[in-house]
Amino acid sequence: MDITTRLEFDAGHRIPNHKSNCKNLHGHRYAIEVTVTGPIHDDRKSSDFGMVIDFSDVKQIIKDLVVEPWDHAFIVYHDDKDIVNFLNTLPNHKTVIFPVVPTAENMASEAHRILNSEFNKRFNGQLKIKQIRMYETPNSWADAV
């Protein structure tokens, strides 16, 4: 069975070598949809009876590991040195240094890596991340599977 939940957050970024406006500092109202796959609990005494996992439990994991760290942060590619150096001059600025350019595709992949690792640790392979969908705008998204 697959279940999907969605959370939203705001963040800034830029695509340093982009041919158009995305090379400028700007922000988005991102949405992340996480699809988890696993068996439906059949233990009648379990809180999760009849569920793959409680939606609130999945949301809390996503919130703790992805949404809270990225929300209202500037997500910057580690080799975008001018911007990294500038952000380092701002006291108490929430900056997330990314190993790759923070495109929707790479953000979806990074969220998949982070959440997949956590789900493997917590659920011993019983529950798996099937897909991460990262919306950069309401009409544009990337899927990491």
Short mmCIF file of all heavy atoms in Angstrom, two decimals, residues 7 58-69:
data_model
loop_
_atom_site.label_atom_id
_atom_site.label_comp_id
_atom_site.label_asym_id
_atom_site.label_seq_id
_atom_site.Cartn_x
_atom_site.Cartn_y
_atom_site.Cartn_z
N LEU A 7 3.70 18.60 2.66
CA LEU A 7 4.01 19.74 3.51
C LEU A 7 4.54 20.86 2.63
O LEU A 7 5.01 20.60 1.52
CB LEU A 7 5.07 19.37 4.56
CG LEU A 7 4.60 18.41 5.65
CD1 LEU A 7 5.00 17.00 5.32
CD2 LEU A 7 5.20 18.82 6.97
N VAL A 58 4.57 10.32 9.81
CA VAL A 58 5.33 10.60 8.60
C VAL A 58 5.61 12.10 8.50
O VAL A 58 6.75 12.52 8.23
CB VAL A 58 4.60 10.11 7.34
CG1 VAL A 58 5.35 10.52 6.08
CG2 VAL A 58 4.39 8.62 7.38
N LYS A 59 4.60 12.91 8.74
CA LYS A 59 4.78 14.36 8.66
C LYS A 59 5.83 14.85 9.63
O LYS A 59 6.62 15.73 9.31
CB LYS A 59 3.45 15.07 8.92
CG LYS A 59 2.51 15.01 7.75
CD LYS A 59 1.23 15.80 8.03
CE LYS A 59 0.32 15.75 6.83
NZ LYS A 59 -0.89 16.52 7.01
N GLN A 60 5.85 14.28 10.84
CA GLN A 60 6.84 14.72 11.82
C GLN A 60 8.26 14.41 11.37
O GLN A 60 9.17 15.23 11.53
CB GLN A 60 6.57 14.09 13.19
CG GLN A 60 7.37 14.71 14.30
CD GLN A 60 7.03 16.18 14.49
OE1 GLN A 60 5.87 16.55 14.66
NE2 GLN A 60 8.04 17.05 14.44
N ILE A 61 8.47 13.26 10.78
CA ILE A 61 9.80 12.90 10.27
C ILE A 61 10.21 13.86 9.16
O ILE A 61 11.33 14.37 9.15
CB ILE A 61 9.81 11.43 9.78
CG1 ILE A 61 9.59 10.47 10.95
CG2 ILE A 61 11.14 11.12 9.06
CD1 ILE A 61 9.29 9.04 10.53
N ILE A 62 9.31 14.11 8.22
CA ILE A 62 9.60 15.03 7.11
C ILE A 62 9.88 16.42 7.65
O ILE A 62 10.83 17.09 7.22
CB ILE A 62 8.43 15.05 6.10
CG1 ILE A 62 8.18 13.67 5.51
CG2 ILE A 62 8.70 16.07 4.99
CD1 ILE A 62 6.82 13.53 4.85
N LYS A 63 9.06 16.86 8.58
CA LYS A 63 9.23 18.19 9.16
C LYS A 63 10.59 18.31 9.85
O LYS A 63 11.32 19.28 9.65
CB LYS A 63 8.10 18.46 10.15
CG LYS A 63 8.10 19.85 10.72
CD LYS A 63 6.89 20.06 11.62
CE LYS A 63 6.96 21.44 12.24
NZ LYS A 63 5.87 21.68 13.17
N ASP A 64 10.94 17.32 10.66
CA ASP A 64 12.20 17.37 11.42
C ASP A 64 13.43 17.35 10.51
O ASP A 64 14.41 18.04 10.79
CB ASP A 64 12.29 16.20 12.40
CG ASP A 64 11.31 16.30 13.55
OD1 ASP A 64 10.73 17.40 13.76
OD2 ASP A 64 11.11 15.28 14.24
N LEU A 65 13.40 16.54 9.46
CA LEU A 65 14.60 16.31 8.67
C LEU A 65 14.74 17.15 7.41
O LEU A 65 15.84 17.36 6.92
CB LEU A 65 14.70 14.83 8.29
CG LEU A 65 14.84 13.87 9.47
CD1 LEU A 65 14.85 12.44 8.99
CD2 LEU A 65 16.10 14.18 10.26
N VAL A 66 13.61 17.64 6.88
CA VAL A 66 13.67 18.41 5.63
C VAL A 66 13.03 19.79 5.79
O VAL A 66 13.67 20.81 5.55
CB VAL A 66 13.01 17.64 4.46
CG1 VAL A 66 12.98 18.48 3.20
CG2 VAL A 66 13.73 16.31 4.21
N VAL A 67 11.78 19.82 6.20
CA VAL A 67 11.05 21.09 6.19
C VAL A 67 11.65 22.10 7.17
O VAL A 67 11.95 23.23 6.77
CB VAL A 67 9.54 20.87 6.45
CG1 VAL A 67 8.82 22.20 6.64
CG2 VAL A 67 8.93 20.09 5.30
N GLU A 68 11.83 21.73 8.41
CA GLU A 68 12.38 22.69 9.38
C GLU A 68 13.77 23.18 8.98
O GLU A 68 14.03 24.38 9.03
CB GLU A 68 12.41 22.09 10.78
CG GLU A 68 11.05 22.03 11.44
CD GLU A 68 10.44 23.40 11.72
OE1 GLU A 68 11.18 24.35 12.06
OE2 GLU A 68 9.21 23.53 11.57
N PRO A 69 14.69 22.29 8.58
CA PRO A 69 16.01 22.80 8.18
C PRO A 69 15.97 23.71 6.95
O PRO A 69 16.78 24.63 6.84
CB PRO A 69 16.81 21.53 7.90
CG PRO A 69 16.12 20.45 8.66
CD PRO A 69 14.66 20.83 8.66
#
